[in-house]
Amino acid sequence: MPNVRELSAEAIKEALYHIHHKGLDPVEEMIAVGEAVFHILQWADIEPSLRDTLYQLEKQFGFYALLAEGG
């Protein structure tokens, strides 16, 4: 896997495009995109208070993703 800092916006767009065209249903697609965004944010150089806020948002996302999947 390439270093996330080496990924261009075009490479990220292409990866998301492939997720869209794999035949996932809309809920699964939104969950996959959300997980990809949170994964990228883990490697972003952001200030600690914003990182903490995003971590809380990621936990909420995980909770609602489980509910949406019927878990």
Side-chain angles (χ1 to χ4, degrees):
M1 178 175 169
N3 184 331
V4 84
R5 290 185 176 100
E6 297 170 0
L7 292 175
S8 67
E10 187 63 32
I12 294 170
K13 178 182 169 188
E14 185 67 22
L16 293 176
Y17 176 81
H18 286 299
I19 288 172
H20 177 70
H21 293 303
K22 284 187 177 178
L24 297 174
D25 73 40
V27 172
E28 289 177 346
E29 183 178 341
M30 288 180 0
I31 291 170
V33 170
E35 288 173 348
V37 168
F38 285 119
H39 184 73
I40 290 170
L41 288 173
Q42 289 177 354
W43 302 104
D45 186 23
I46 53 180
E47 60 186 74
S49 62
L50 180 56
R51 183 175 300 282
D52 292 343
T53 301
L54 291 171
Y55 178 68
Q56 295 301 318
L57 185 61
E58 182 178 8
K59 290 193 313 188
Q60 289 177 355
F61 176 85
F63 172 77
Y64 288 112
L66 280 174
L67 286 178
E69 291 176 331

